[in-house]
C-alpha cells in the first residue's frame, strides 16, 4: 500500500542472480556470458566516468582488451580520485594466516556485517575475486607490507575475528590508486583510452530506453560537451558529503549518479549511510569537513570514556578503575574491533549520556598507552606513523603521549544506483561500479571492504559483464552527436545551468549545504525517529524552496566557476536528501546503519523485521518541478540467504 509521500510498484525486481548454489553463481554466470572477438572490440566505444579504483581498473582492463574507452574525471589527474583516502587496508579471503579464515567465513562476515540486507551471491563474488585482486595489485606495483620472510602481512579490522586485511602502512588507498592510475596511463599511452580531465558529468543521454552517452561540463572553459558510446559505466563514488561535514573530500558529490537516476536509473537504499566511529570530532562551527582516522588504529588503540559523567579531568589523571572501556564491556568477543555501525552508536550513546570528552564534550578517547608499553614506540610508528603525524597536524596533540579524540562522522554510502548481478542498472547500457553502486555491503560496510569492492568491480567484474552487453549490439554505430536525443540533453543541461546563474539571490551554495547537513545529522543521522525524519523532510523542502529563490552564483557559465559547480551539486543534494528521509521513513525496521529508535531490542541493538523487510528498496524517480518533486516509486528486490541463514547479529 502506498503512503501519502511515495508509491509502490506491484512486481518485484529481478536481480538476475543465477539459480542454484550462490557459491558457484559467478563461475556459472561468466561461462554463459556472450563474448566479443578481439577483432571486433575496437568497434565498440565505452564511456567510463570516474578514475578511482573502480573506474581506473575498468577503463584499464577494457583498454587492455582492445575496446575504445573514453574516461572522464573532474580532477586534474586520474590519481587524484578519492580512493586515495581509504588508508587502512583491503580485505581478501586468501587465508594465509593460520587463524581458520576461509572464503566461506569471509562471506559469512560480510553478509552478517551488512545485517542481511545485501545479496549473498554478490558477497561470494567479492570473496572469490578478492584473491585475484591482491595478487594483481601486488603485481602492478602496490607495495604491500611484508613479513620478515617475504609473505604479505595482514592485520584485523572491525567486524571480524581473523586477520585478512592487507595494507601499506596507513597509505593503502593511496598506493593502490597510484598503481591503478599507472595501469590506466599505460593504456592512455597505448592509445586505447582517451582520458579527459576537468570534466564533470551533468547528464546521461538516453535513447530507445538505452544509455548511449553523457553530457559534461569542461570545468576550465565552461563549455558543455557531449560524447556518445555503446555503453556507459559510472564509477563516481559515494554521496556522504550530503551531510556537509563528512570524511569525504569536499569535491566528492552525487551529481553524476543523481542525474542518471533522474533519467531512469533506480536508486537503492539511499538512507543506508555509514558513520565512521574513528573520525576526528568537530571542533568549531567553521569546519567544512571532518577528518578520518583509519579504522586500523582500533587494532592497537583502546576506546574509553570517563566512567563518571561530566568528568573533565585530563585523561592521564583518570585512573584505570575510573575508565569505561565500553566496547570491550558491551561486546567482549570483538571489543574495539566491533562493526562500525555498532561502534558509532555506542560512542553516540556515551556522548549523549554526558561522558563525552574534549573541549566540546563531543568525542571519546582512542588510547595507545597499553600498546606503546607492550610493543614499543618503533613498532607503533611503523604501523601507524603517518596517521599519528596526520592527527598531530590536525589537532596539535601528540598521540604518542596522550589519547586521540574521535567521534562518529558521516562516511560511506551503502546505498547507490541499483544494479543487477551483471552490475547493469535499470537503464540498459548503464553500468555502475564502486561506491556509486549499492552492492555487497547491505546496511553496513565492514572495514577494508571498500577498496576491495572497488577493485573487484573495476578489474574483475565489469570487464566481463560489459562485453556481454556489447555483444548484442555488434554492428550498431554509436549515436551521432547531431541526434535529437543528444541535442535535447545538452539543451536541458544548458537550461539548468542558466537557471542557477539567473536566480540572483543573496546567499552562496555553501550556506545552503551547511544548513542541509545540520538537518540531516539531526534527523537522519546515527539514529532516526519517525518524528525526526518528518521534521527533517519538511525542513529540507523549505530549504529547497529557499535555494531556488535566494541562491547567488557570481560569474558566468563560460569560464572556470567553482561557485557554479557547487550550486549544481547542492541542488542535487537537496533532492537526494529528501529521498534519503523518505527511504528511512519507509523502512519500518532497524538494520545495520539504519537505526530506527522505535525498532530496537531491550539491549539497545538494531531489531530487523525479516518477515516484512528482507528486500532491497530501489526507488524510481518521478519528475516534478525543481522545488517540488514527484512521488517516487519504490521497487523491491527480495533477498534470500542460503549459505548464511538469517540470524540476529551478536558481537558479544
Amino acid at each position: 500500500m502506498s503512503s501519502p509521500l511515495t508509491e509502490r510498484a506491484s512486481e518485484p525486481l529481478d536481480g538476475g542472480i543465477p539459480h542454484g548454489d550462490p557459491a558457484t553463481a559467478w563461475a556459472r554466470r561468466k561461462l554463459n556470458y556472450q563474448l566479443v572477438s578481439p577483432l571486433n572490440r575496437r568497434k565498440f566505444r565505452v564511456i567510463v566516468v570516474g578514475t578511482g579504483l573502480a573506474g581506473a581498473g575498468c577503463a584499464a582492463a577494457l583498454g587492455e582488451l582492445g575496446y575504445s574507452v573514453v574516461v572522464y574525471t573532474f580532477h586534474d589527474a586520474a590519481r587524484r580520485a578519492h580512493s586515495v583516502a581509504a588508508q587502512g587496508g583491503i580485505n581478501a579471503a586468501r587465508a594465509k594466516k593460520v587463524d581458520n579464515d576461509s572464503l566461506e567465513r569471509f562471506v559469512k562476515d560480510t553478509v552478517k556485517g551488512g545485517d542481511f540486507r545485501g545479496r549473498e551471491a554478490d558477497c561470494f563474488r567479492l570473496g572469490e575475486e578478492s584473491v585475484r585482486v591482491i595478487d594483481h595489485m601486488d603485481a602492478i606495483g602496490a607495495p604491500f607490507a611484508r613479513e620478515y620472510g617475504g609473505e604479505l602481512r595482514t592485520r584485523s579490522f572491525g567486524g571480524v575475528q581473523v586477520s585478512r586485511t592487507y595494507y601499506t602502512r596507513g597509505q593503502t588507498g593511496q598506493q593502490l590508486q597510484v598503481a591503478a592510475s599507472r595501469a590506466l596511463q599505460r593504456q592512455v599511452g597505448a592509445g586505447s583510452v582517451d582520458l579527459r580531465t576537468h570534466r564533470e558529468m551533468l547528464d546521461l543521454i538516453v535513447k530507445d530506453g538505452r544509455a548511449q552517452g553523457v553530457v559534461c561540463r569542461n570545468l576550465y572553459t565552461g563549455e558543455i560537451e557531449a560524447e556518445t558510446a555503446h555503453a556507459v559505466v559510472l564509477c563516481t563514488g559515494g554521496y556522504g558529503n550530503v551531510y556537509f561535514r563528512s570524511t569525504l573530500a569536499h569535491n566528492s558529490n552525487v551529481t553524476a549518479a543523481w542525474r542518471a537516476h533522474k533519467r531512469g536509473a533506480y536508486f537503492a537504499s539511499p538512507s543506508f549511510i555509514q558513520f565512521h566511529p574513528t573520525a576526528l570530532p568537530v571542533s568549531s562551527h567553521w569546519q567544512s569537513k571532518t577528518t578520518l582516522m583509519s579504522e586500523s588504529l582500533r587494532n592497537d588503540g583502546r576506546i574509553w570514556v570517563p566512567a563518571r559523567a561530566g568528568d573533565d579531568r585530563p585523561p592521564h589523571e583518570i585512573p584505570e578503575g575510573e575508565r569505561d572501556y565500553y566496547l570491550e564491556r558491551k561486546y567482549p568477543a570483538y571489543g574495539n574491533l566491533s562493526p562500525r555501525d555498532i561502534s558509532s552508536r555506542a560512542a553516540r550513546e556515551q556522548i549523549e549520556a554526558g561522558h563525552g570528552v574534549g573541549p566540546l564534550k563531543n568525542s571519546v578517547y582512542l588510547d595507545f598507552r597499553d600498546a606503546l608499553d607492550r610493543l614499543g614506540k618503533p613498532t607503533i610508528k611503523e604501523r601507524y606513523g603517518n596517521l599519528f603525524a596526520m592527527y598531530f597536524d590536525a589537532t596539535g596533540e601528540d598521540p604518542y603521549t596522550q589519547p586521540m579524540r574521535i567521534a562518529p562522522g558521516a562516511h560511506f554510502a551503502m546505498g547507490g544506483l541499483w544494479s543487477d548481478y551483471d552490475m547493469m542498472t535499470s537503464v540498459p547500457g548503464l553500468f555502475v561500479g564502486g561506491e556509486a553502486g549499492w552492492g555487497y555491503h547491505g546496511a553496513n560496510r565492514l572495514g577494508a571492504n571498500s577498496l576491495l569492492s572497488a577493485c573487484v568491480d573495476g578489474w574483475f567484474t565489469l570487464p566481463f559483464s560489459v562485453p556481454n552487453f556489447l555483444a548484442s549490439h555488434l554492428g550498431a554505430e554509436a549515436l551521432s552527436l547531431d541526434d535529437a536525443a543528444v541535442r535535447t540533453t545538452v539543451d536541458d543541461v544548458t537550461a539548468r545551468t542558466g537557471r542557477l546563474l539567473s536566480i540572483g539571490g543573496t546567499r552562496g551554495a555553501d550556506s545552503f549545504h551547511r544548513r542541509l547537513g545540520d538537518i540531516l545529522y539531526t534527523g537522519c543521522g546515527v539514529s532516526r525517529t519517525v518524528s525526526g525524519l518528518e521534521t527533517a523532510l519538511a525542513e529540507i523542502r523549505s530549504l529547497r524552496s529557499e535555494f531556488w529563490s535566494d541562491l547567488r552564483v557570481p560569474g558566468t557559465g563560460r569560464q572556470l566557476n567553482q561557485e557554479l559547480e557547487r550550486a549544481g551539486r547542492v541542488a542535487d543534494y537537496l533532492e537526494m536528501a529528501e529521498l534519503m528521509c523518505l527511504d528511512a521513513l519507509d523502512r519500518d525496521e532497524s538494520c545495520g546503519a539504519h537505526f530506527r529508535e522505535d525498532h530496537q531490542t531491550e539491549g539497545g541493538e538494531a531489531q530487523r523485521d525479516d518477515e516484512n523487510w528482507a528486500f532491497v528498496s530501489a526507488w524510481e524517480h518521478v519528475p516534478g518541478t525543481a522545488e517540488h518533486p514527484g512521488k517516487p516509486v519504490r521497487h523491491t528486490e527480495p533477498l534470500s540467504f542460503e549459505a548464511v541463514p538469517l540470524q540476529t547479529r551478536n558481537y558479544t
Side-chain angles (χ1 to χ4, degrees):
M1 184 172 67
S2 299
S3 78
L5 301 174
T6 60
E7 300 288 349
R8 303 283 185 272
S10 57
E11 296 297 323
L13 282 173
D14 181 5
I17 304 168
H19 297 292
D21 185 356
T24 61
W26 181 227
R28 289 183 283 114
R29 185 68 180 120
K30 285 192 294 183
L31 184 62
N32 291 321
Y33 275 155
Q34 298 183 76
L35 302 178
V36 178
S37 74
L39 294 179
N40 284 328
R41 292 172 188 168
R42 64 178 178 270
K43 300 175 183 178
F44 289 108
R45 185 187 307 137
V46 179
I47 292 173
V48 179
V49 185
T51 58
L53 285 174
C58 176
L62 290 174
E64 184 81 38
L65 288 169
Y67 296 94
S68 175
V69 183
V70 179
V71 181
Y72 288 98
T73 177
F74 60 57
H75 296 291
D76 56 3
R79 63 177 289 176
R80 294 290 300 276
H82 195 57
S83 294
V84 301
Q87 303 290 46
I90 176 171
N91 286 335
R94 300 170 86 237
K96 294 296 185 180
K97 290 276 187 182
V98 187
D99 58 3
N100 201 19
D101 197 11
S102 64
L103 171 61
E104 291 75 13
R105 194 173 294 278
F106 174 97
V107 173
K108 179 180 179 180
D109 288 340
T110 302
V111 171
K112 176 185 172 185
D115 215 354
F116 297 88
R117 291 299 177 259
R119 282 199 200 113
E120 189 178 55
D122 282 5
C123 295
F124 270 105
R125 176 168 63 195
L126 186 70
E128 179 182 339
E129 296 293 2
S130 68
V131 178
R132 296 175 65 191
V133 164
I134 299 301
D135 291 339
H136 177 73
M137 299 310 293
D138 184 39
I140 65 173
F144 288 114
R146 295 181 181 271
E147 304 286 358
Y148 177 76
E151 286 283 332
L152 299 185
R153 180 180 293 177
T154 58
R155 57 189 176 200
S156 298
F157 253 64
V160 303
Q161 293 177 305
V162 295
S163 180
R164 66 165 70 106
T165 305
Y166 296 78
Y167 65 98
T168 64
R169 297 184 69 185
Q171 306 172 10
T172 311
Q174 179 178 336
Q175 297 300 332
L176 293 180
Q177 180 66 36
V178 168
S181 298
R182 282 200 300 256
L184 176 63
Q185 290 296 149
R186 179 174 177 269
Q187 295 307 311
V188 173
S192 61
V193 173
D194 178 7
L195 175 61
R196 302 178 186 178
T197 60
H198 299 111
R199 267 79 166 184
E200 181 170 28
M201 176 184 157
L202 296 182
D203 217 332
L204 179 73
I205 299 169
V206 179
K207 184 177 182 182
D208 300 328
R210 180 162 60 91
Q212 300 201 49
V214 299
V215 175
C216 299
R217 180 174 184 267
N218 185 317
L219 299 182
Y220 273 0
T221 68
E223 182 182 1
I224 303 298
E225 305 171 348
E227 182 61 272
T228 60
H230 297 88
V232 177
V233 184
L234 295 188
C235 302
T236 50
Y239 51 89
N241 265 348
V242 68
Y243 287 85
F244 186 70
R245 291 190 185 96
S246 81
T247 64
L248 278 68
H250 213 244
N251 276 339
S252 297
N253 62 82
V254 75
T255 288
W258 189 253
R259 304 290 173 88
H261 171 58
K262 295 178 75 171
R263 292 291 181 184
Y266 298 165
F267 211 107
S269 306
S271 66
F272 286 179
I273 296 285
Q274 183 172 83
F275 290 80
H276 201 294
T278 321
L280 296 188
V282 173
S283 59
S284 65
H285 179 71
W286 51 259
Q287 273 186 233
S288 63
K289 70 181 302 294
T290 55
T291 300
L292 176 65
M293 302 306 298
S294 169
E295 183 174 312
S296 62
L297 294 168
R298 295 200 281 156
N299 272 281
D300 290 304
R302 299 181 71 192
I303 295 172
W304 63 277
V305 293
R308 175 170 58 84
D311 191 339
D312 58 1
R313 288 177 293 175
H316 66 275
E317 294 183 8
I318 301 177
E320 187 71 14
E322 298 179 30
R323 301 181 177 193
D324 181 10
Y325 296 91
Y326 59 89
L327 288 179
E328 298 174 29
R329 169 174 56 81
K330 295 181 68 174
Y331 311 104
Y334 287 76
N336 298 299
L337 287 175
S338 297
R340 291 179 178 176
D341 60 324
I342 288 174
S343 299
S344 289
R345 284 199 299 274
R348 180 180 176 276
E349 289 170 2
Q350 295 297 325
I351 293 168
E352 292 191 345
H355 297 271
V357 301
L360 300 182
K361 305 297 183 184
N362 62 347
S363 53
V364 300
Y365 287 129
L366 178 61
D367 197 341
F368 287 83
R369 182 196 63 181
D370 294 347
L372 286 164
D373 290 344
R374 184 177 72 255
L375 302 171
K377 184 174 179 179
T379 298
I380 296 299
K381 187 173 183 179
E382 178 187 356
R383 293 178 180 177
Y384 313 112
N386 66 309
L387 297 171
F388 276 40
M390 183 172 71
Y391 183 86
F392 179 79
D393 289 342
T395 66
E397 300 171 5
D398 182 5
Y400 290 107
T401 60
Q402 61 189 108
M404 291 182 176
R405 288 181 294 107
I406 58 172
H411 179 54
F412 189 91
M414 281 80 67
L417 293 182
W418 179 86
S419 58
D420 63 13
Y421 190 67
D422 298 330
M423 309 206 72
M424 189 163 70
T425 70
S426 53
V427 178
L430 176 65
F431 294 79
V432 64
E435 195 179 348
W438 74 282
Y440 306 117
H441 310 303
N444 172 62
R445 178 176 65 79
L446 292 184
N449 267 356
S450 64
L451 294 178
L452 175 61
S453 58
C455 288
V456 167
D457 289 350
W459 291 105
F460 298 116
T461 304
L462 290 164
F464 292 100
S465 63
V466 173
N468 173 65
F469 171 81
L470 296 175
S472 299
H473 298 276
L474 184 62
E477 295 292 330
L479 205 62
S480 168
L481 292 177
D482 293 326
D483 190 272
V486 178
R487 295 197 306 271
T488 298
T489 309
V490 170
D491 290 344
D492 289 346
V493 169
T494 303
R496 182 181 176 88
T497 301
R499 184 177 181 197
L500 290 168
L501 289 163
S502 66
I503 294 172
T506 63
R507 286 179 290 166
D510 276 358
S511 69
F512 293 97
H513 194 184
R514 185 184 294 271
R515 289 170 60 192
L516 176 63
D518 290 341
I519 292 169
L520 287 176
Y521 263 111
T522 301
C524 193
V526 176
S527 63
R528 294 97 186 257
T529 65
V530 171
S531 61
L533 287 165
E534 290 174 343
T535 298
L537 191 57
E539 291 176 342
I540 290 166
R541 289 178 169 176
S542 176
L543 183 63
R544 187 172 174 178
S545 294
E546 284 187 51
F547 176 89
W548 286 105
S549 63
D550 197 26
L551 173 72
R552 178 179 181 272
V553 179
T556 72
R558 298 182 299 277
Q559 61 191 45
L560 173 69
N561 190 340
Q562 292 184 321
E563 286 301 311
L564 177 59
E565 296 170 34
R566 293 190 185 99
R569 295 168 188 172
V570 173
D572 293 329
Y573 279 140
L574 287 165
E575 297 179 11
M576 173 78 206
E578 181 163 329
L579 185 62
M580 288 170 59
C581 291
L582 288 173
D583 183 53
L585 269 173
D586 180 71
R587 183 162 286 272
D588 195 20
E589 67 162 352
S590 290
C591 56
H594 170 59
F595 187 77
R596 284 267 297 263
E597 291 184 7
D598 52 332
H599 296 289
Q600 56 182 306
T601 65
E602 291 183 3
E605 304 298 339
Q607 190 168 48
R608 294 194 321 266
D609 180 356
D610 294 327
E611 182 177 350
N612 296 303
W613 290 94
F615 59 77
V616 177
S617 298
W619 295 93
E620 176 186 353
H621 175 75
V622 175
T625 66
E627 296 87 351
H628 304 289
K631 293 170 65 172
V633 178
R634 190 194 72 191
H635 298 259
T636 62
E637 180 192 339
L639 296 171
S640 61
F641 300 92
E642 300 176 25
V644 187
L646 285 163
Q647 58 192 267
T648 300
R649 295 169 83 202
N650 185 352
Y651 293 95
T652 59

